[in-house]
Amino acid sequence: MAVGGFAVDDNSRAFSGKVTASVVITCIVAASGGLIFGYDIGISGGVTTMRPFLKKFFPAVLRKEADAKTNIYCVYDSHVLTAFTSSLYIAGLAASLVASRLTRAVGRRNTMIIGGLTFLIGAAINGGAENIVMLILGRILLGFGVGFTNQATPIYLSEMAPPKWRGAFNTSFYFFIGIGVVVANCLNYGTAKLSWGWRLSLGLAIVPSVIMTVGALLISDTPSSLVERGKIAQARDSLRKARGKDIDIEPELAELVKTSEAVKAANEEPFVTIFERQYRPHLVMAFAIPFFQQLTGINIIAFYAPVLFQSVGFGSDSALIASIILGCVNLFSILVSTFIVDRYGRRILFLEGGTQMIIGQVAVACVLAVTTGVSGTKDIPKGYAVLVLVLLCIYAAGFGWSWGPLSWLIPSEIFPMKIRTTGQSISIAVNFATTFVLAQTFLTMLCHFKYGTFIFYAGWLIAMTLFVILFVPETKGIPLESMYQVWERHWFWRRFVSLP
Ligand code: BGC
């Protein structure tokens, strides 16, 4: 009996599956689930710097800003504002834990629809917000929406994709997150000039939610999820469409049914099962991957870029342009990842991307230390500001082809069916929890550590790169139901998974 999954014969691992037009279209439609998360990330950063928005909901921030004779690192250090941004992450955290059961009970696709609709209602409330209560309520609904969608979509993609190209298919989720970010940044650039621009920016979140909800209505659920819910005939149809007419899909279907029956017979509570010793490697990854992703400092960079450029006199327009540039670099680099991930593997991307980010962070810290002075009160000459932007682009590219997409891919592919939705839930919850804690603390940290903040994140990057070298196995090309082999062969993890 294999561990971390159920026994499968060696020859059953070679389930083939061509890249059919149907599976490509289905997965692109599903991946659009990333749009709403990306849109929110992009919009909230910009909206919280719009003066009419601050005047209506957070006047204290404006007063503080007017009084501020502080250094460039402390201007936006406001707890109320971060609390507003972060409320989404707390709601998302709660939703992702509930979503584990939901994705099992109603399927991946239906969970995406529920997520899309919840997000839509939240967007409408936010667009029409008259007071802070409406604003927070809307934001909580957005959080629920994102929690459900981020849980279901990566699993959907990994289950649907032909194993050989699973990485590329899965990176499309992050690609849509990236598109959402860039679209939102461009929109903010236009709406920032209007007194009611914030309403437009927040309200237009309806558009991505409609796109993804309608998209999800048009696709069928994954074969695994249909089998899990006893819909064998539908599973056969879904598999045939995904793998192509001339492929014999029966062995793959039989494997799914066998796994699903074993899961049902065992009748275990997945939130308990996942803590069993044999699933220790899986559990560690569910925590470590999203935790480390946030400790790359990506969100601090995303936030700091416009503030930095604004404070060195580039004007708020150029600050937004800097965000757009970073967003585009990120988008382009995801495509690099799509190309590499199944050909050369996940580990190489982690290692190269991690090293590149370390170099970027350390270089930014050095430039800032030299130009702004230890207290951060000196202005950065424009030429150096451009240099900082270039270094941040190098960093953003590294993230865009490593921790950005891979943190969605790895948790969606390493778990056996019986703990898959649970493992994914834990991973999304950890992502949201870490984002929340960092968002609460990073502005204060920036204010106190100044350019040292970048060194702090570079330190974490060194730790996570070592973690990858030692503990993250290569998962390229392995079918989901045979994934237990990677742990059995791993120098460290094999002691946890008992061999037959
Ligand atoms: C992360 C987000 C981040 C985004 C940036 C995602 O993979 O989970 O926290 O803001 O990438 O593009």
Side-chain angles (χ1 to χ4, degrees):
M1 177 76 171
V3 177
F6 293 90
V8 286
D9 306 323
D10 258 354
N11 53 12
S12 66
R13 271 159 223 147
F15 303 132
S16 49
K18 288 187 303 184
V19 178
T20 58
S22 163
V23 78
V24 172
I25 294 168
T26 306
C27 286
I28 290 179
V29 171
S32 72
L35 276 181
I36 58 173
F37 186 38
Y39 186 88
D40 186 81
I41 295 169
I43 281 295
S44 13
V47 164
T48 47
T49 57
M50 291 182 193
R51 305 190 78 79
F53 174 82
L54 292 173
K55 202 166 146 208
K56 187 163 175 74
F57 298 107
F58 303 97
V61 176
L62 286 180
R63 280 197 298 275
K64 184 174 169 231
E65 198 195 76
D67 294 344
K69 289 184 196 59
T70 44
N71 64 49
I72 65 161
Y73 298 102
C74 300
V75 180
Y76 280 83
D77 183 11
S78 154
H79 288 292
V80 227
L81 209 53
T82 21
F84 159 74
T85 315
S86 307
S87 54
L88 177 139
Y89 292 95
I90 290 297
L93 194 159
S96 56
L97 292 174
V98 177
S100 161
R101 282 179 201 290
L102 203 66
T103 29
R104 240 190 352 263
V106 304
R108 292 40 168 155
R109 168 209 178 237
N110 292 340
T111 306
M112 285 155 67
I113 296 172
I114 297 172
L117 289 175
T118 319
F119 192 91
L120 194 147
I121 301 170
I125 297 180
N126 263 354
E130 275 309 325
N131 50 47
I132 187 90
V133 177
M134 283 178 82
L135 203 62
I136 301 276
L137 177 70
R139 197 130 182 91
I140 289 175
L141 289 173
L142 297 184
F144 282 133
V146 168
F148 289 140
T149 322
N150 285 6
Q151 147 84 15
T153 314
I155 298 189
Y156 183 100
L157 294 167
S158 283
E159 288 182 341
M160 205 61 155
K164 194 162 177 256
W165 301 111
R166 186 176 57 242
F169 275 78
N170 197 288
T171 55
S172 59
F173 176 65
Y174 186 61
F175 188 72
F176 274 97
I177 296 184
I179 293 184
V181 172
V182 172
V183 168
N185 280 336
C186 294
L187 202 72
N188 276 343
Y189 182 70
T191 59
K193 299 179 178 68
L194 310 169
S195 61
W196 46 279
W198 62 270
R199 262 192 209 290
L200 202 59
S201 286
L202 293 180
L204 280 176
I206 288 177
V207 177
S209 54
V210 168
I211 295 177
M212 69 140 296
T213 311
V214 172
L217 282 167
L218 298 175
I219 56 180
S220 68
D221 207 354
T222 67
S224 307
S225 176
L226 290 164
V227 166
E228 203 175 30
R229 291 182 290 133
K231 299 173 189 274
I232 309 295
Q234 278 169 265
R236 182 175 283 113
D237 281 351
S238 167
L239 205 53
R240 184 164 300 126
K241 259 196 244 153
R243 301 287 180 256
K245 284 203 186 61
D246 42 348
I247 299 273
D248 179 15
I249 47 135
E250 290 306 324
E252 186 172 356
L253 185 65
E255 187 59 45
L256 289 176
V257 172
K258 194 165 130 196
T259 311
S260 162
E261 276 165 5
V263 171
K264 281 190 189 132
N267 191 25
E268 290 160 8
E269 165 52 51
F271 271 107
V272 174
T273 310
I274 201 166
F275 286 95
E276 285 172 11
R277 185 179 160 84
Q278 56 170 326
Y279 297 120
R280 201 55 42 81
H282 307 75
L283 190 62
V284 169
M285 295 300 151
F287 276 92
I289 299 281
F291 175 74
F292 280 142
Q293 186 207 43
Q294 287 307 314
L295 279 157
T296 57
I298 185 63
N299 286 315
I300 193 176
I301 296 286
F303 182 85
Y304 185 57
V307 176
L308 174 73
F309 291 102
Q310 201 157 351
S311 40
V312 295
F314 266 40
S316 57
D317 267 9
S318 332
L320 284 171
I321 290 178
S323 309
I324 296 173
I325 295 176
L326 283 179
C328 291
V329 169
N330 180 51
L331 210 52
F332 171 75
S333 56
I334 304 166
L335 294 177
V336 174
S337 185
T338 308
F339 183 79
I340 306 256
V341 72
D342 295 310
R343 289 180 174 84
Y344 305 102
R346 286 70 165 139
R347 281 169 54 88
I348 183 89
L349 285 167
F350 269 132
L351 301 183
E352 198 288 329
T355 312
Q356 189 168 319
M357 282 190 279
I358 296 168
I359 296 170
Q361 296 263 31
V362 173
V364 169
C366 293
V367 175
L368 290 182
V370 171
T371 54
T372 63
V374 177
S375 60
T377 43
K378 281 198 241 157
D379 277 353
I380 306 181
K382 273 203 178 156
Y384 281 102
V386 173
L387 176 62
V388 171
L389 179 60
V390 170
L391 292 171
L392 292 183
C393 286
I394 291 175
Y395 166 89
F399 181 83
W401 60 59
S402 62
W403 286 90
L406 298 181
S407 307
W408 300 102
L409 171 62
I410 305 288
S412 76
E413 67 180 5
I414 56 168
F415 300 104
M417 193 197 259
K418 70 168 162 178
I419 52 165
R420 187 168 300 147
T421 62
T422 310
Q424 173 78 357
S425 279
I426 294 178
S427 146
I428 304 293
V430 171
N431 184 318
F432 284 150
T434 319
T435 311
F436 175 78
V437 172
L438 292 186
Q440 289 302 313
T441 49
F442 82 71
L443 291 174
T444 310
M445 192 167 125
L446 191 62
C447 183
H448 294 283
F449 283 15
K450 306 184 176 70
Y451 59 84
T453 309
F454 294 95
I455 300 287
F456 171 82
Y457 284 110
W460 277 104
L461 272 159
I462 294 173
M464 68 188 82
T465 305
L466 289 175
F467 176 82
V468 170
I469 294 175
L470 294 173
F471 300 115
V472 178
E474 183 55 68
T475 46
K476 159 179 95 102
I478 316 249
L480 295 184
E481 303 312 321
S482 309
M483 199 55 85
Y484 59 85
Q485 295 175 340
V486 302
W487 312 111
E488 286 177 354
R489 293 194 196 122
H490 190 272
W491 74 274
F492 180 75
W493 297 121
R494 67 168 167 238
R495 71 196 68 187
F496 292 90
V497 297
S498 42
L499 288 164

